[in-house]
Amino acid sequence: FIIKIKKEQNMNKCYIASGWFSPEWLEELESIKSVLGGLDLNYFSPKDENLCSPDADEDFQDQVFNGNIKGMEECDWMICNTRNKDMGSIFEVGYFHKLGKPIVYFCAGLPAGAQFNLMLAASGKSVCTSLEQLESYLRDCKGSNAVLESRYEGAIE
């Protein structure tokens, strides 16, 4: 993929939007965190900060919701894992886009020539389809201290 060098906001802290509701999702989330940690990039992961049980009362639900909103507002950029189109992650990415902050999408295993959602492609700075690609891209970003633009150029849906 082609990287267009275009400075964005700094990379002080990343918000990770990702489901973790199956063993496969959880493994991907932990792998994303491992890539960030390996590059010494700070992050906020709702899974680690604001867990809510299915039977939590409304006050606690509101506390978790507001904690995640605060987390997004305090972060400079986002990685969104698009696996299985987790509804919470999709909400978070829309909110983050409205804040005007850069978004990087992670879509593991997207085959060459596969379609990616137009709204996500247009709102993201990059779409990474493997952990290796994500790590390489983030290494380049860290070297520039900026989220670099490499807009998705494949087929869209």
Side-chain angles (χ1 to χ4, degrees):
F1 62 95
I2 298 170
I3 293 180
K4 299 174 189 173
I5 298 187
K6 181 179 176 183
K7 290 262 183 180
E8 293 295 336
Q9 297 174 354
N10 67 46
M11 297 186 66
N12 289 336
K13 193 170 189 182
C14 175
Y15 186 96
I16 305 173
S18 179
W20 61 81
F21 311 111
S22 75
E24 184 178 47
W25 291 10
L26 181 58
E27 182 180 343
E28 279 188 354
L29 172 59
E30 293 302 320
S31 294
I32 291 167
K33 289 166 40 180
S34 180
V35 166
L36 290 166
L39 293 170
D40 200 29
L41 293 169
N42 295 323
Y43 61 82
F44 175 94
S45 173
K47 178 200 167 283
D48 299 335
E49 303 292 333
N50 297 316
L51 286 180
C52 186
S53 65
D55 61 349
D57 64 36
E58 284 185 23
D59 286 340
F60 191 75
Q61 291 174 32
D62 291 345
Q63 179 182 337
V64 169
F65 176 82
N66 290 325
N68 288 347
I69 295 293
K70 182 179 179 195
M72 285 186 280
E73 291 174 349
E74 291 177 349
C75 286
D76 302 300
W77 62 289
M78 171 186 279
I79 292 177
C80 178
N81 184 0
T82 63
R83 177 169 299 277
N84 297 322
K85 300 176 183 174
D86 173 61
M87 297 303 286
S89 297
I90 299 304
F91 168 85
E92 290 166 334
V93 82
Y95 187 89
F96 211 80
H97 177 71
K98 184 62 179 168
L99 292 174
K101 298 179 181 185
I103 301 163
V104 174
Y105 290 100
F106 179 71
C107 186
L110 185 68
Q115 295 179 325
F116 191 73
N117 180 272
L118 166 66
M119 298 302 282
L120 300 184
S123 66
K125 298 302 176 192
S126 185
V127 177
C128 297
T129 59
S130 70
L131 286 169
E132 295 78 18
Q133 184 184 22
L134 179 66
E135 183 174 6
S136 175
Y137 169 76
L138 292 178
R139 187 175 291 112
D140 290 342
C141 292
K142 183 177 179 180
S144 298
N145 194 32
V147 179
L148 301 173
E149 186 170 348
S150 62
R151 184 167 166 167
Y152 184 73
E153 295 180 358
I156 56 169
E157 62 180 12

